[in-house]
Amino acid sequence: MSHTQRFLVTAVPSRRDGLGSNGMQNGDNNVRETESTVPILEYLREPNKYGDGIPKESSPFINSTDIDKEIMYEGKNLALFEEEMDRNPMVSSLLNRLANYTNLTQGVREHEEAENNEEPRKKEIKAPQMGTFIGVYLPCLQNILGVILFLRLTWIVGAAGIFGSFWIVFICCACTLLTAISMSAIATNGVVPAGGSYYMISRSLGPEFGGAVGLCFYLGTTFAGAMYILGTIEILLTYIVPSAAIFKAEDPSQETQAMLNNMRVYGTCTITLMATVVFVGVKYVNKLALVFLACVILSILAIYAGVIKTAFSPPDFPLCMLGNRTLAWQAFDVCAKVSTTGNQTVTTQLWQLFCDSPYLNATCDEYFTLNNVTTVQGIPGIASRVIIDNIWSSYGLQGEILEKRGMLSVPATESATNTGLPYVFSDIATYFTMLVGIYFPSVTGIMAGSNRSGDLKDAQRSIPTGTLLAIITTSFIYLSSIILFGACIEGVLLRDKFGESVNGNLVIGTLAWPSPWVIVIGSFFSTCGAGLQSLTGAPRLMQAIARDGIVPFLRVFGHGKANGEPTWALLLTAGICEIGILIASLDSVAPILSMFFLMCYMFVNLACALQTLLKTPNWRPRFTYYHWTLSFLGMSLCLALMFICSWYYALVAMVIAGCIYKYIEYRGAEKEWGDGIRGLSLNAARYALLRLEDGPPHTKNWRPQLLILLNLDPEQNVKHPRLLSLTTQLKAGKGLTIVGSVLEGTFLERHTDVQNAEQNIKTLMGLEKTKGFCHVVVSSNRRDGVSHLIQSSGLGGMKHNTVLVAWPELWRQTDGPTGWKNFVDMVRETTAAHQALLVTKNIDSFPTNQERFSGGTIDIWWIVHDGGLLMLLPFLLSQHKVWKKCKMRIFTVAQIDDNSIQMKKDLQLFLYQLRLDAEVEVVEMLDNDISAFTYERTLVMEQRSQMLKQMQLSKNEREREIQSITDESRGTTLRRNSARAALEFQDRNPDVPNEEAQLIHDRNAAGHSSGTDRLAVPPEGVHMTWTKEKITAEKNKNKESLSPEGVRDIFNMKPEWGNLNQSNVRRMHTAVKLNEVVVNRSQDARLVLLNMPGPPKNRQGDENYMEFLEVLTEGLNRVLMVRGGGSEVITIYS
């Protein structure tokens, strides 16, 4: 019946269409009562539902618009918090949302409602009402008790004996009990949505483990369906309708193969039928679940009733024995060699099976002739002493005849073949570990309750109670059944797997009361129902995994019918199940699914132990009867059982899980579920950081831990992405890498820009395959931001020791973001912090990670020793495939007093001890005079510095001044490069006549001393033309050239040179001469590394320092200037 829900909202004068506190009171008086009234708070949460025309979001959380805030909080007590209500809702709203939270299983109920279209309106979702008994206990009972109990438990008791079987059951039940304790702790640590065990494992151990174990659990459930179907077909063809077999063996030796073929045909038909039933409607499977459960319970009660009955009236199931050998009582009617009809003795059908004719004088089998035929009661009853005979094991080989221990027989003297004779043979070899693998599936199913967590009234109470009670109940049933079977049934009958000695009856059925058919029919429907349940649950598990998106190629299986039915997952499940059907042997399929279930249980225990040991704040399970030692014991027991059952199956299962894990790690979606593996990583990192020495590491352990300082454009994009390429080539994914940048401003204003910058940097790091961390800071100015990064990046002993930065190409623009002042201060701060500094010049010409140098050299100019970093860096670069084919060349500079030959020998020995393969070359630099070019370059540098200090120019005038000086400097450099080109041309063309060196003076040179004239007319500088002979003569000048007269001659060329700072002149001289030598030797090198001199102690010369570095590296393509951190980073010792 539909309800009309409405109320009247009166207008408030102060709000045109709002509701004040008084308005609500007045509105209540005008509400016309209907069949049901609407609470005003519910109306305020969802006004669209009741049609007031105000567009609002249908959500329990408050909208963030200003109008809504004024409407919602006028006259309320929470006005202080109203501006944050869009992020932090009221507690009442949150509690209301949680109270209305429904968590239905991805299963039967919503699919039933979607399929039931008879009612015009959608059904209202009801709150879960299932209790512990119906929701957890009975489903677990139904899933645990099944095919193994009815078809294989008696055979296991006969082969392993009561003692061995007891241990098999005890170990398996202990494993599931410990797993259930761990599962209860996880299941009660918050809400477990649909997905059950997969959800618990994935959210506890992360997407990689969750996906791997989830798929293993899916495969286990699927193969369990195949096992149940094979059990159904075995009951049908062996005990119900044996005549329905399609393949029949003419030779007794082919009976096993014929049976397997029958299993394949009927199993394929059954899986097709069951899949169709599941596809048509899951509700039919759910409605039949109680019927299947009733069959299981009735069958178990019939067994216990039969055991009680044997105490005073054992059933009559005689066994026919020839000597001590068991005969298959199917091909003959009377258990005797001859029978008396009247006064005539005639042979029986048994005689004809062992003899070549029906006559008494026929030739018979020797063993048949020597031994008598007797009958033994198959079920002597619980009051007999048969339990003593069944205590110990009776393992046998494949094809072995079942013999009764302690029974007398006369062995045959000749080794006659037994093929074709009506003996009961052992179809497979039996041993303890194999029986464990076959039995373990009978204790699976403990997660049936957790899979239904959405249907439970109180899942956190019902799951532990119901699951543990079900395990205790089934463990009691299994353990008591072992003892009762061994106390009531004859040993040879227990080892008779298919009941051939009792005319093809089910062995456990012979014990049941009132009829064996109770067990046969009950077990048939039980196994059939279990198969349907597996085909219902496995596709939904696959659908949950596919919808999580952690395994990309499985996403297609997340789709299905309109009502959510997992159609594609059902087809996949049926296909995998068919593989188990084609195996056709119940005893071969059982160990396979044992592996997958054991792996799943092992990781449930691991998840609980991990969460307990990590003591994460969110780990607060309501189930308190757990301990990490129990979880660890359960995990160890699961792992041991995997290898006990089948070591090769265990390895295959682990390889499958490992491949899935690595695939998800490599290609899977990144999920952050707050899992235990992440917590374990955090704890391991914390432990390692605490143990890591907070200080410089030993020289042998030193590696560059890089802090890369990036410049960003106004759109927060990286200006020089090749810095990250160089980082990848230098690090190869090893060591610490921190990529930092600085934004100017305040964090409150630019926090969005910080997020965008970090996202852009992380994207670029991914493209360049740079593994590391990103850190963007906001500071009032760039200098302070860089200083903060240098000081505070890293944590504890895991801090950077090297700073990588690009050379500021526009350093002459002092107002720019990459001004020279910031750069020089950064150099000083890295020195003060004892950190190495790498400065790349022309970074945009450096190779990308995709480029490959087919040859060339990496030239190292080792001028001063600063810890060996200069030699370590090219070795690290040569490990990357970009630089792998480049050869290393090391140049060192010899002064006039040095022995260059001995220096070369010593350097070669040093490199040999360092295990570095490089060519060595010693370059001699003579102590010659200072050239006119050096004086002129120094003059230009000092005049530029002096003008910028003395003149107070406007911004535009300052930029024009900078541009003019830059143009002059470039002109001077161009003229110098032209002179060098002339020399090279002269070397290549010796026939061209030489020109004498000339010094062309600038007539307007005096204008350099005047700042105003300088702005109007830029000076032309000094032009120098050098010949090869002039260079040779310059090198061969003796020290007399440095006499005061010689210096005065140079100063006469230009009087301003006499006023220059001689320290700057010497520095410029060094830069010019070194540059000439480096360019001459390494102009064609792939990369040039050289020592970077430090800035002057006097800050007045900072700009001159930049000019020195500019001169030092002119004419080189790729340059990496290296400044050590003050400690040795390379050693000759092992």
Side-chain angles (χ1 to χ4, degrees):
M1 179 178 180
S2 62
H3 297 274
T4 304
Q5 297 173 330
R6 54 187 175 179
F7 58 88
L8 180 63
V9 180
T10 60
V12 179
S14 62
R15 293 287 183 269
R16 186 179 61 181
D17 53 358
L19 287 176
S21 59
N22 297 329
M24 284 187 290
Q25 295 174 0
N26 296 333
D28 286 340
N29 298 329
N30 296 321
V31 174
R32 182 164 56 93
E33 294 293 335
T34 57
E35 297 181 15
S36 65
T37 59
V38 179
I40 187 67
L41 289 179
E42 184 175 346
Y43 169 77
L44 289 176
R45 283 195 302 271
E46 298 180 339
N48 285 342
K49 184 175 179 181
Y50 305 104
D52 68 342
I54 301 177
K56 292 185 180 179
E57 188 175 346
S58 180
S59 170
F61 289 87
I62 308 303
N63 293 328
S64 58
T65 60
D66 294 336
I67 296 177
D68 290 339
K69 291 174 185 175
E70 292 177 359
I71 293 174
M72 295 295 296
Y73 297 106
E74 180 188 4
K76 299 294 181 64
N77 297 324
L78 298 179
L80 183 62
F81 302 94
E82 63 184 14
E83 293 185 357
E84 299 180 352
M85 285 296 176
D86 54 345
R87 301 189 308 271
N88 305 324
M90 290 190 300
V91 175
S92 60
S93 299
L94 178 64
L95 294 178
N96 182 271
R97 182 175 181 178
L98 294 177
N100 292 333
Y101 176 75
T102 57
N103 183 18
L104 296 179
T105 323
Q106 291 178 350
V108 179
R109 288 176 50 192
E110 65 271 30
H111 296 155
E112 286 185 28
E113 294 171 3
E115 289 178 352
N116 192 357
N117 297 321
E118 297 177 0
E119 297 185 14
R121 295 184 60 184
K122 186 177 179 181
K123 287 185 178 180
E124 184 177 349
I125 298 177
K126 298 180 180 179
Q129 296 295 330
M130 298 179 69
T132 303
F133 185 76
I134 299 296
V136 181
Y137 180 76
L138 291 182
C140 288
L141 209 65
Q142 181 182 2
N143 280 269
I144 295 174
L145 300 173
V147 60
I148 301 297
L149 171 64
F150 300 122
L151 297 183
R152 293 293 183 268
L153 189 58
T154 55
W155 173 68
I156 291 174
V157 174
I162 296 175
F163 185 77
S165 302
F166 190 91
W167 273 109
I168 292 174
V169 174
F170 178 79
I171 292 172
C172 295
C173 290
C175 176
T176 55
L177 180 63
L178 294 172
T179 304
I181 293 174
S182 300
M183 183 196 69
S184 299
I186 298 175
T188 57
N189 187 51
V191 179
V192 179
S197 57
Y198 161 69
Y199 183 90
M200 289 189 295
I201 296 172
S202 61
R203 270 57 177 182
S204 298
L205 295 180
E208 293 85 4
F209 277 107
V213 181
L215 286 176
C216 287
F217 188 57
Y218 164 75
L219 292 174
T221 307
T222 304
F223 274 100
M227 183 187 72
Y228 292 134
I229 293 172
L230 290 175
T232 303
I233 304 305
E234 182 177 317
I235 295 172
L236 179 68
L237 296 181
T238 306
Y239 307 112
I240 299 179
V241 192
S243 59
I246 299 175
F247 299 93
K248 297 182 179 179
E250 297 179 357
D251 188 352
S253 62
Q254 299 178 353
E255 288 182 358
T256 302
Q257 190 61 39
M259 183 63 182
L260 294 179
N261 291 331
N262 287 321
M263 300 279 280
R264 295 185 179 102
V265 173
Y266 278 95
T268 303
C269 297
T270 305
I271 186 67
T272 305
L273 179 62
M274 288 185 174
T276 305
V277 171
V278 173
F279 176 78
V280 170
V282 186
K283 58 183 179 181
Y284 303 112
V285 179
N286 192 50
K287 290 177 180 178
L288 291 174
L290 289 178
V291 177
F292 300 143
L293 179 60
C295 292
V296 174
I297 295 175
L298 288 176
S299 299
I300 294 174
L301 292 178
I303 294 172
Y304 281 108
V307 170
I308 296 172
K309 184 177 178 295
T310 60
F312 53 87
S313 178
D316 185 22
F317 281 99
L319 305 179
C320 187
M321 309 294 295
L322 177 60
N324 63 350
R325 297 180 178 179
T326 308
L327 298 177
W329 205 332
Q330 291 178 324
F332 56 91
D333 51 356
V334 179
C335 183
K337 294 182 179 181
V338 294
S339 61
T340 303
T341 304
N343 294 326
Q344 186 177 3
T345 302
V346 295
T347 59
T348 61
Q349 294 179 355
L350 181 61
W351 176 283
Q352 299 176 18
L353 293 174
F354 284 92
C355 302
D356 57 359
S357 70
Y359 304 107
L360 293 173
N361 58 354
T363 303
C364 298
D365 179 77
E366 182 182 4
Y367 189 84
F368 180 78
T369 305
L370 296 175
N371 292 276
N372 295 325
V373 176
T374 58
T375 58
V376 175
Q377 188 57 249
I379 303 179
I382 196 171
S384 65
R385 298 175 58 85
V386 71
I387 188 173
I388 299 176
D389 299 331
N390 294 329
I391 288 179
W392 306 111
S393 61
S394 297
Y395 299 121
L397 302 175
Q398 183 177 3
E400 187 177 72
I401 300 174
L402 299 186
E403 298 180 348
K404 177 176 170 55
R405 289 180 298 185
M407 193 171 183
L408 298 177
S409 66
V410 180
T413 56
E414 59 183 31
S415 57
T417 177
N418 296 316
T419 304
L421 298 179
Y423 293 122
V424 178
F425 296 95
S426 176
D427 61 334
I428 59 174
T430 54
Y431 44 92
F432 181 82
T433 57
M434 185 268 292
L435 295 179
V436 173
I438 293 176
Y439 172 77
F440 187 81
S442 65
V443 296
T444 60
I446 62 173
M447 294 186 176
S450 63
N451 292 339
R452 296 167 179 254
S453 58
D455 299 327
L456 300 174
K457 185 186 302 182
D458 186 359
Q460 296 189 1
R461 182 185 300 273
S462 298
I463 289 178
T465 306
T467 304
L468 293 176
L469 284 178
I471 292 177
I472 293 172
T473 304
T474 53
S475 299
F476 172 78
I477 291 174
Y478 282 124
L479 292 173
S480 62
S481 297
I482 288 173
I483 298 174
L484 295 177
F485 291 163
C488 296
I489 305 176
E490 181 60 51
V492 288
L493 181 56
L494 287 172
R495 299 198 300 275
D496 186 1
K497 183 188 294 184
F498 302 108
E500 297 175 85
S501 60
V502 286
N503 201 19
N505 282 305
L506 183 62
V507 175
I508 196 173
T510 60
L511 182 62
W513 180 86
S515 170
W517 286 100
V518 175
I519 298 294
V520 173
I521 301 300
S523 60
F524 176 80
F525 283 109
S526 172
T527 52
C528 184
L532 281 173
Q533 292 289 347
S534 297
L535 288 180
T536 303
R540 281 163 182 77
L541 179 59
M542 171 55 70
Q543 188 180 48
I545 298 173
R547 286 181 174 176
D548 266 346
I550 58 177
V551 185
F553 69 87
L554 293 179
R555 288 174 182 167
V556 64
F557 299 107
H559 306 292
K561 294 195 295 186
N563 61 358
E565 194 72 19
T567 307
W568 293 107
L570 178 61
L571 292 176
L572 177 66
T573 302
I576 298 176
C577 198
E578 177 63 20
I579 297 176
I581 297 296
L582 294 178
I583 296 175
S585 173
L586 182 67
D587 301 323
S588 299
V589 173
I592 297 177
L593 66 100
S594 295
M595 292 301 111
F596 293 121
F597 277 119
L598 280 168
M599 182 168 291
C600 178
Y601 296 165
M602 179 177 69
F603 281 101
V604 168
N605 286 291
L606 174 62
C608 181
L610 200 62
Q611 298 277 26
T612 306
L613 290 174
L614 292 178
K615 297 180 180 178
T616 53
N618 190 56
W619 179 247
R620 302 183 301 274
R622 291 190 178 275
F623 181 78
T624 58
Y625 301 102
Y626 70 94
H627 195 267
W628 69 268
T629 54
L630 296 178
S631 301
F632 186 78
L633 179 61
M635 180 184 68
S636 304
L637 192 56
C638 289
L639 183 63
L641 283 174
M642 288 179 66
F643 284 92
I644 287 175
C645 295
S646 175
W647 64 268
Y648 45 88
Y649 278 164
L651 292 178
V652 170
M654 288 182 173
V655 168
I656 293 174
C659 292
I660 298 171
Y661 178 93
K662 296 303 293 184
Y663 176 81
I664 296 174
E665 186 181 46
Y666 178 68
R667 292 292 304 276
E670 293 184 3
K671 299 284 186 180
E672 176 53 57
W673 287 331
D675 51 87
I677 295 298
R678 181 65 59 89
L680 181 63
S681 301
L682 290 174
N683 275 270
R686 170 183 168 274
Y687 177 77
L689 285 173
L690 290 175
R691 286 183 58 88
L692 194 62
E693 296 181 6
D694 192 5
H698 192 274
T699 304
K700 292 185 288 187
N701 295 328
W702 196 96
R703 66 170 65 246
Q705 317 283 8
L706 291 179
L707 169 63
I708 300 96
L709 298 179
L710 297 179
N711 293 325
L712 305 178
D713 59 17
E715 287 76 27
Q716 286 80 49
N717 294 319
V718 179
K719 285 186 178 180
H720 302 295
R722 298 291 176 88
L723 267 179
L724 294 181
S725 301
L726 178 63
T727 303
T728 303
Q729 296 158 20
L730 189 62
K731 301 288 291 183
K734 306 295 183 183
L736 175 68
T737 301
I738 302 175
V739 182
S741 186
V742 178
L743 299 180
E744 294 188 11
T746 62
F747 184 75
L748 290 178
E749 296 174 352
R750 305 206 62 181
H751 63 91
T752 304
D753 294 337
V754 170
Q755 295 176 357
N756 295 335
E758 288 185 346
Q759 184 60 40
N760 293 339
I761 293 175
K762 288 178 180 178
T763 302
L764 184 61
M765 291 173 66
L767 294 175
E768 297 293 343
K769 298 181 180 179
T770 304
K771 298 179 180 179
F773 309 97
C774 176
H775 190 192
V776 178
V777 299
V778 180
S779 180
S780 58
N781 58 76
R782 180 173 178 80
R783 180 190 177 282
D784 291 342
V786 171
S787 178
H788 294 158
L789 284 175
I790 292 175
Q791 294 178 58
S792 61
S793 294
L795 182 64
M798 199 65 178
K799 295 179 68 68
H800 65 278
N801 53 28
T802 306
V803 178
L804 175 62
V805 67
W807 171 260
E809 303 291 343
L810 304 178
W811 62 271
R812 292 184 176 90
Q813 298 181 6
T814 55
D815 293 334
T818 57
W820 55 270
K821 290 184 179 180
N822 294 339
F823 180 82
V824 177
D825 286 340
M826 181 200 64
V827 176
R828 287 194 173 98
E829 287 176 351
T830 55
T831 304
H834 302 288
Q835 296 174 5
L837 177 64
L838 309 179
V839 180
T840 61
K841 193 172 183 186
N842 303 323
I843 182 60
D844 294 330
S845 66
F846 275 63
T848 63
N849 292 326
Q850 288 72 35
E851 296 182 34
R852 302 288 183 271
F853 288 137
S854 57
T857 61
I858 300 177
D859 288 358
I860 303 114
W861 284 86
W862 191 20
I863 302 170
V864 295
H865 180 65
D866 57 356
L869 181 60
L870 200 65
M871 289 178 286
L872 182 62
L873 291 177
F875 168 76
L876 297 176
L877 283 175
S878 64
Q879 305 302 306
H880 196 274
K881 40 193 173 182
V882 173
W883 307 90
K884 198 172 188 66
K885 295 185 179 180
C886 295
K887 295 182 179 180
M888 290 173 54
R889 295 195 303 179
I890 296 183
F891 297 89
T892 188
V893 177
Q895 300 298 323
I896 191 171
D897 298 331
D898 296 329
N899 186 343
S900 58
I901 298 177
Q902 186 62 37
M903 283 181 63
K904 184 173 183 179
K905 291 181 179 179
D906 294 342
L907 183 55
Q908 288 174 338
L909 177 62
F910 183 57
L911 292 178
Y912 176 79
Q913 292 173 338
L914 290 176
R915 290 89 64 199
L916 295 177
D917 186 15
E919 298 180 7
V920 176
E921 195 166 340
V922 178
V923 178
E924 296 181 355
M925 288 187 63
L926 303 180
D927 191 10
N928 48 16
D929 61 342
I930 301 175
S931 64
F933 173 79
T934 302
Y935 279 105
E936 179 62 20
R937 189 69 183 262
T938 309
L939 176 64
V940 173
M941 176 186 70
E942 288 194 355
Q943 287 178 341
R944 178 176 181 275
S945 300
Q946 187 68 22
M947 282 186 298
L948 291 179
K949 291 177 183 177
Q950 294 179 355
M951 299 174 59
Q952 301 296 330
L953 302 176
S954 65
K955 183 176 181 180
N956 294 334
E957 290 174 336
R958 188 183 297 268
E959 289 179 355
R960 288 197 299 270
E961 168 66 11
I962 291 171
Q963 187 61 42
S964 66
I965 297 175
T966 303
D967 293 341
E968 181 179 353
S969 177
R970 289 177 179 173
T972 305
T973 304
L974 180 61
R975 290 190 293 273
R976 179 168 170 248
N977 290 338
S978 299
R980 186 182 294 112
L983 286 175
E984 293 176 358
F985 178 79
Q986 184 66 29
D987 292 339
R988 293 192 298 266
N989 302 276
D991 298 335
V992 178
N994 298 334
E995 294 181 347
E996 295 182 359
Q998 300 179 9
L999 292 176
I1000 303 175
H1001 300 278
D1002 186 2
R1003 295 180 180 179
N1004 299 321
H1008 286 291
S1009 60
S1010 173
T1012 307
D1013 294 340
R1014 180 177 178 79
L1015 287 174
V1017 182
E1020 296 181 2
V1022 178
H1023 298 268
M1024 301 181 63
T1025 305
W1026 298 91
T1027 64
K1028 188 173 182 179
E1029 289 76 8
K1030 177 64 178 176
I1031 292 295
T1032 305
E1034 193 78 17
K1035 290 183 178 179
N1036 294 331
K1037 281 185 179 180
N1038 53 26
K1039 294 183 179 179
E1040 294 178 358
S1041 61
L1042 297 178
S1043 62
E1045 292 78 5
V1047 173
R1048 281 196 296 270
D1049 291 340
I1050 291 181
F1051 290 161
N1052 289 333
M1053 297 180 185
K1054 206 165 189 179
E1056 292 86 347
W1057 292 352
N1059 299 326
L1060 296 176
N1061 187 326
Q1062 293 304 306
S1063 175
N1064 288 339
V1065 172
R1066 291 195 306 272
R1067 291 172 182 268
M1068 183 63 74
H1069 173 68
T1070 302
V1072 171
K1073 298 302 293 184
L1074 275 177
N1075 179 257
E1076 288 179 357
V1077 173
V1078 173
V1079 170
N1080 186 34
R1081 300 295 183 96
S1082 302
Q1083 191 171 19
D1084 298 329
R1086 300 293 188 185
L1087 178 65
V1088 176
L1089 291 90
L1090 71 160
N1091 291 109
M1092 178 180 178
K1097 295 181 180 180
N1098 185 5
R1099 289 181 176 270
Q1100 301 298 325
D1102 286 355
E1103 187 177 3
N1104 300 337
Y1105 172 70
M1106 299 293 292
E1107 190 71 35
F1108 295 147
L1109 295 181
E1110 191 74 58
V1111 171
L1112 182 62
T1113 56
E1114 278 181 351
L1116 299 175
N1117 185 20
R1118 302 184 189 93
V1119 183
L1120 182 61
M1121 291 183 283
V1122 181
R1123 182 166 174 78
S1127 60
E1128 291 292 333
V1129 301
I1130 194 168
T1131 179
I1132 63 176
Y1133 300 104
S1134 60

